[in-house]
Amino acid sequence: VESVLQEMGARGAPPPLSAFNALIAAHARQGDVEAAEEVAVRLQAAGLAADVKTYEGLVSAAAAASQPSLAWSYYDEAVKRRIDPTLPMFNSLVIASGRGGKLALTFEAVDAMRKAGYAPDEVTWRELLSSCARHGNALLAWETYKQSRQAGNAPSEVALNIIIGVTLLHIRELTDPDRLGAMDEDPDTGMPTYGIRAAAAEPAWKEWADRAIAVYHEATVAGVRP
């Protein structure tokens, strides 16, 4: 695309907006935000106005570079210019926020998506699950997974591996000897209290083990190999 733009410029022919947008999208796929922004500047210098595809590419570039603040800044700019955001743009916000460590913003992006009239798709749910797992929030991951299933999304290999993985990590936390206070002593007997605490924690980890077994069964029934 770059060579086409240069060739057209050499001939004195003004490159079309679509050519600039294609180059921005190419840089976005590589996560090269600076290059994408540089093309946007050239676009404006050529007397063209950024459109929805331009902003879609810029938000995507910011997402690929895990820069949530920049992604939201371009989104806000598009809205201010009365450009209607697209589903891919909202998904890029979800990706940027989740991979950039902003779990709350990830769900805000989905709220904005729904307000704009879009329904979360497979990409949305996958990134939401990944964000919950990345933050170690097993309960929120399960709530998100249940919502995705209620919305009619079939279980996928990626989603099932994420939910099983975060569940097993949570079980490990619940049964961690340090967390259970293996070295604590009963003030009356002087004996280690690990057994007492482990017994108290048992219902919790068993519940999560049941969840892991249930979702594994769901995966095998669906023909998905976790």
Side-chain angles (χ1 to χ4, degrees), residues 11-197:
R11 295 202 311 264
L17 179 59
S18 58
F20 285 107
N21 285 341
L23 188 54
I24 290 174
H27 290 311
R29 287 191 291 272
Q30 298 174 351
D32 194 338
V33 178
E34 291 184 1
E37 291 179 326
E38 191 271 335
V39 175
V41 171
R42 288 166 57 189
L43 179 157
Q44 294 176 354
L48 300 171
D51 66 358
V52 65
K53 286 295 182 181
T54 310
Y55 283 102
E56 197 175 276
L58 291 171
V59 176
S60 177
S66 300
Q67 295 188 30
S69 295
L70 184 60
W72 280 91
S73 175
Y74 279 125
Y75 165 78
D76 290 337
E77 186 177 317
V79 172
K80 186 176 180 180
R81 294 191 176 189
R82 299 181 182 278
I83 294 174
D84 293 330
T86 61
L87 179 60
M89 194 183 298
F90 283 117
N91 275 336
S92 290
L93 289 177
V94 172
I95 293 170
S97 302
R99 298 182 185 180
K102 305 293 184 181
L103 185 58
L105 272 181
T106 306
F107 284 87
E108 286 183 24
V110 177
D111 289 340
M113 174 191 296
R114 288 189 170 113
K115 289 179 181 178
Y118 296 106
D121 63 5
E122 185 178 347
V123 173
T124 316
W125 292 115
R126 183 189 67 219
E127 290 299 326
L128 285 175
L129 280 173
S130 296
S131 298
C132 294
R134 195 176 292 113
H135 284 79
N137 195 326
L139 187 58
L140 186 56
W142 265 92
E143 288 300 318
T144 301
Y145 179 71
K146 286 193 295 184
Q147 289 178 25
S148 73
R149 298 291 288 117
Q150 291 168 358
N153 286 272
S156 67
E157 181 178 351
V158 174
L160 289 166
N161 277 306
I162 291 173
I163 199 66
I164 290 173
V166 75
T167 300
L168 294 177
L169 285 174
H170 189 57
I171 292 172
R172 180 184 296 177
E173 291 174 359
L174 291 173
T175 56
D176 180 23
D178 291 334
R179 177 182 177 277
L180 295 172
M183 302 307 295
D184 289 352
E185 293 183 352
D186 186 295
D188 297 324
T189 66
M191 298 295 290
T193 59
Y194 170 72
I196 299 173
R197 294 193 181 190

